[in-house]
Amino acid sequence: MYRKVPGGSWSRIANISSGSTVSYTDTTGTAGTTYYYTVRAVNGSAISGYNATGVSAEISSGTPATPVLTSAENANSGVTVKWGKVSNADGYWVYRKVSGGKWSRITIVSSNSTVSYTDTTAASGTTYYYTVRAIKGSTLSGYDATGVSCLRLSTPSLTSATVASSGITIKWGAVTGAKGYRVYRKVSGSHWSRIANISSGSTVSYTDTTGTAGTTYYYTVRAVSGSTLSGYNGSGISATAAAAVSYVNYVTTGMLNYRTGPGTSYSMKGTLTAGTTVKVVSGESYTVSGVAWYRAYINGGYYYVSSRYLLATPTLSSADNATSGITVKWSKVSNADGYQVYRKVSGGSWSLIGTVSSGSTVSYTDTSAASGTSYTYTVRAIYTTSSSTIRSGYDSTGVSCVRLSTPSLTSITASSSGITVKWGAVTGAKGYRVYRKVSGGSWSRIATISNSTTLSYTDNTGLVAGTTYLYTVRAVNGSYLSYYNTSGISAKATVSSTPTLVNYVTTGMLNYRTGPGGTYALAGTFASGATVKVVSGESYNVSGTVWYRVYVNGSYYYCSSKYLTKA
């Protein structure tokens, strides 16, 4: 098929592949233009002659142009078809078909400026083809025979947004034809952001674990099949993220019912056998008729259990050197008949070293600990029945301590050079601390010895002749301290010693007193910026505050270190 305008040359505009097709519609002409047409028959490479004059026709200026189709996409209520505006059209006819079917008109659009239509009758899961003809009066334009296609996917219906311990769970209805879903999230005033791709059309829920506690989030979902997306609920569904739930493990001491609420008036959902570990929500309990009920996570849901039949894991508080060994302490456990104490060394396994036969006894001294060895301890509560012993869980980290024997005080001697105290070496010690007090006073550290081979110390600071002083010593290894001889060893100073004085400056108004601590009588006040002579090496810890002995106007007093700085 060839075409030309008057005075022009023939130009081929179509190839027709069937010998029985004897017509052709040219939809590409311009209104008001006269065109000439001619035809040549063809068989393989053989071509017939042609009528050089041809036949002519003028395209009426009243025939509207063929609309240019731009898209067919899913919307919330159906498939929306869009096309370009035809300037001389009165309106448009919209057609639809399925694969292998025939075009069927589905609507008439009566305005030439309306260039979209939403097909609300499209069934989800079906692929539709759409085309459009412009109309002016009774004259119809041509149409795009290929059309534009779209797989109809209904907008997912959002059914719930539930706050769970693991996050916010969003659920929606299944969409026919969907191969998967996309989940979106936003906060108020922001834009939607995709947070998940779900590759199964049958998965209709998603748990968002990335939210921040206390923040309200909005969620929406789009169905997807290949490159085709459904519409989406623009408002979304919202929920406020809860704080992460922490659990405490308990063990049942007998058959224990779990219920839908706190108290026996609520429905029973099941029974746990004795010795079962129960995950109890930390910090959540309800007192009903004098009994505490806990919220617990059981078999994928939250229920309530009575505390009467639960055994908690003991909370370890400390492991410290004592006179005869290492003393381990823990919290009291309700319902416990006693406790089992375990010990291990680094890289070793837990070994039972002792059993406490009273539920109210919350300490145990390991007298077999060897000086110089680091031990780790843990404790299990026990509950004894007629047929078995039920054990609680245990703190797998434990509490640790390096065993340091209490130094033995061997001698004390007073001389003109001061008072010399001696003690025995302690295995595992890296150094020692020496303490002094007068009768009725408190121990105050007067020396720190940073090696393990020095086993004596001469005190010649601030001694008053005729005064009896008591001394004791603790072994040191890093942050670990041995216990100490609480009675100490004593000697009477034979001569007074002149203390070494160090200049400090007050950082504010500062009282000085007759003894170390706020309970002693007030002797005077230093002005801010005053120079204070502090006795070197003499300090007293009173209720967490260090007090210094100071020399003022020929006498010795005491003041807090809080308002002093070295000059």
Side-chain angles (χ1 to χ4, degrees), residues 426-561:
V426 173
T427 301
K430 302 295 185 183
Y432 300 93
R433 292 180 182 179
V434 183
Y435 299 80
R436 183 184 79 183
K437 73 173 181 176
V438 294
S439 181
S442 301
W443 291 112
S444 177
R445 190 191 341 170
I446 60 170
T448 297
I449 297 169
S450 58
N451 67 80
S452 60
T453 58
T454 300
L455 304 175
S456 68
Y457 175 75
T458 298
D459 176 22
N460 57 11
T461 303
L463 297 176
V464 178
T467 300
T468 297
Y469 295 93
L470 292 89
Y471 297 84
T472 196
V473 179
R474 301 181 82 168
V476 182
N477 183 326
S479 62
Y480 297 104
L481 289 171
S482 74
Y483 202 62
Y484 60 96
N485 184 321
T486 57
S487 299
I489 190 170
S490 65
K492 184 182 291 186
T494 57
V495 294
S496 297
S497 63
T498 302
T500 299
L501 301 177
V502 180
N503 285 339
Y504 281 68
V505 176
T506 59
T507 58
M509 299 286 285
L510 177 61
N511 296 330
Y512 55 91
R513 298 177 179 273
T514 57
T519 60
Y520 286 88
L522 179 67
T525 302
F526 295 114
S528 179
T531 299
V532 179
K533 296 184 178 298
V534 174
V535 175
S536 177
E538 191 168 347
S539 62
Y540 304 84
N541 193 309
V542 180
S543 302
T545 299
V546 175
W547 286 70
Y548 294 147
R549 188 166 177 245
V550 298
Y551 185 72
V552 184
N553 299 327
S555 299
Y556 291 95
Y557 299 97
Y558 299 84
C559 64
S560 168
S561 64

Side-chain angles (χ1 to χ4, degrees), residues 60 75 92 97 127 135 210 241 255 320 326 364 367 399 429 444 465 531:
S60 171
Y92 308 92
K97 72 174 181 176
T127 297
I135 184 169
T210 63
M255 300 288 283
D320 294 309
I326 296 177
Y364 175 82
T367 59
V399 287
S444 177
T531 299

Side-chain angles (χ1 to χ4, degrees), residues 29-327:
T30 302
T33 301
T34 297
Y35 291 96
Y36 290 83
Y37 297 89
T38 194
V39 179
R40 300 182 79 172
V42 62
N43 186 330
S45 60
I47 301 176
S48 73
Y50 62 95
N51 184 319
T53 304
V55 292
S56 64
E58 179 182 343
I59 298 177
S60 171
S61 60
T63 301
T66 299
V68 177
L69 303 171
T70 56
S71 65
E73 295 177 339
N74 280 292
N76 285 341
S77 56
V79 176
T80 297
V81 186
K82 295 181 180 180
W83 57 90
K85 181 180 178 181
V86 176
S87 60
N88 64 335
D90 294 330
Y92 308 92
W93 287 7
V94 181
Y95 297 78
R96 183 182 81 181
K97 72 174 181 176
V98 293
S99 181
K102 295 182 179 181
W103 293 113
S104 174
R105 189 178 70 194
I106 57 173
T107 194
I108 295 174
V109 177
S110 58
S111 167
N112 84 319
S113 59
T114 300
V115 290
S116 69
Y117 172 73
T118 299
D119 175 14
T120 60
T121 64
S124 192
T126 301
T127 297
Y128 294 95
Y129 296 82
Y130 296 88
T131 196
V132 179
R133 301 180 80 169
I135 184 169
K136 182 174 179 60
S138 60
T139 303
L140 286 168
S141 72
Y143 62 94
D144 183 331
T146 303
V148 286
S149 63
C150 180
L151 168 64
R152 171 58 181 157
L153 293 174
S154 297
T155 300
S157 59
L158 304 173
T159 56
S160 66
T162 306
V163 179
S165 61
S166 56
I168 297 175
T169 299
I170 309 99
K171 295 183 179 181
W172 58 90
V175 173
T176 302
K179 301 297 185 183
Y181 301 92
R182 292 182 182 178
V183 182
Y184 300 79
R185 185 182 79 181
K186 72 173 182 177
V187 293
S188 180
S190 69
H191 299 290
W192 292 112
S193 176
R194 188 182 352 164
I195 60 171
N197 291 323
I198 296 171
S199 58
S200 167
S202 60
T203 300
V204 290
S205 69
Y206 174 75
T207 299
D208 176 19
T209 61
T210 63
T212 301
T215 300
T216 297
Y217 294 96
Y218 294 82
Y219 297 89
T220 197
V221 179
R222 300 182 81 169
V224 62
S225 178
S227 61
T228 303
L229 288 171
S230 74
Y232 62 95
N233 182 321
S235 298
I237 191 169
S238 66
T240 301
V245 177
S246 60
Y247 300 97
V248 178
N249 285 337
Y250 284 73
V251 175
T252 58
T253 59
M255 300 288 283
L256 177 61
N257 298 329
Y258 55 95
R259 299 177 179 272
T260 57
T264 55
S265 62
Y266 286 89
S267 299
M268 186 173 76
K269 295 298 291 185
T271 302
L272 303 173
T273 58
T276 302
T277 298
V278 182
K279 295 168 69 71
V280 170
V281 176
S282 179
E284 190 170 347
S285 66
Y286 306 84
T287 300
V288 180
S289 301
V291 177
W293 285 73
Y294 298 145
R295 187 166 175 248
Y297 187 70
I298 302 170
N299 297 330
Y302 286 95
Y303 302 98
Y304 296 82
V305 291
S306 168
S307 63
R308 282 182 171 175
Y309 305 99
L310 289 175
L311 196 63
T313 298
T315 300
L316 303 171
S317 54
S318 64
D320 294 309
N321 279 292
T323 299
S324 56
I326 296 177
T327 298

Side-chain angles (χ1 to χ4, degrees), residues 405-428:
S405 298
T406 301
S408 58
L409 304 174
T410 57
S411 69
I412 188 168
T413 306
S415 67
S416 59
S417 59
I419 297 176
T420 300
V421 59
K422 295 182 179 181
W423 59 89
V426 173
T427 301

